[in-house]
Amino acid sequence: MKKILLCCAAGMSTSLLVTKMQNEAKNTGMESKIWAIPVEELSNNLNGVDIVLLGPQIRYKLNDVKKVCNEKSIPAEVINMVDYGTMNGKKVLDFALNLIK
């Protein structure tokens, strides 16, 4: 099972992207847990996480997020702005899976 955590500021648009990613994973038969949280809650939500993706609106927090994630050897990156803006669940899921490998 792949566990993909998305971090955002408020969560409304990221929740929609989570749904699209979950649907894409389901369509390919992949077992996954994909969810979103406010970035302030990151350190309390890293158990078992395979990757952390940041919404582009909080890309300025990437260095802080990487510091927290590096302690647990979890990769962290910013979602491509175009993929985020178009809510392209397939591309974002593929991006996450490539970073996990």
Side-chain angles (χ1 to χ4, degrees):
M1 175 182 302
K2 301 295 181 191
K3 294 182 180 179
I4 303 169
L5 176 59
L6 279 64
C7 290
C8 55
M12 295 314 294
S13 58
T14 306
S15 294
L16 179 57
L17 181 57
V18 164
T19 300
K20 293 196 176 239
M21 291 172 69
Q22 289 169 334
N23 289 339
E24 187 61 37
K26 186 177 179 182
N27 289 341
T28 61
M30 186 181 88
E31 226 182 295
S32 67
K33 178 180 179 186
I34 306 169
W35 73 107
I37 60 166
V39 71
E40 291 79 21
E41 297 177 15
L42 178 65
S43 58
N44 296 326
N45 287 279
L46 287 176
N47 287 341
V49 170
D50 293 306
I51 187 161
V52 173
L53 298 178
L54 296 180
Q57 68 274 26
I58 59 165
R59 70 178 334 115
Y60 65 93
K61 293 195 177 252
L62 181 60
N63 287 336
D64 295 335
V65 168
K66 281 191 174 199
K67 285 178 189 170
V68 173
C69 290
N70 282 342
E71 293 173 8
K72 297 193 178 228
S73 300
I74 300 169
E77 285 299 333
V78 177
I79 299 167
N80 176 284
M81 191 178 300
V82 173
D83 295 340
Y84 188 90
T86 58
M87 294 286 126
N88 192 327
K90 178 177 178 13
K91 277 195 169 181
V92 177
L93 180 62
D94 288 345
F95 175 64
L97 294 175
N98 284 330
L99 289 170
I100 291 171
K101 292 177 185 172

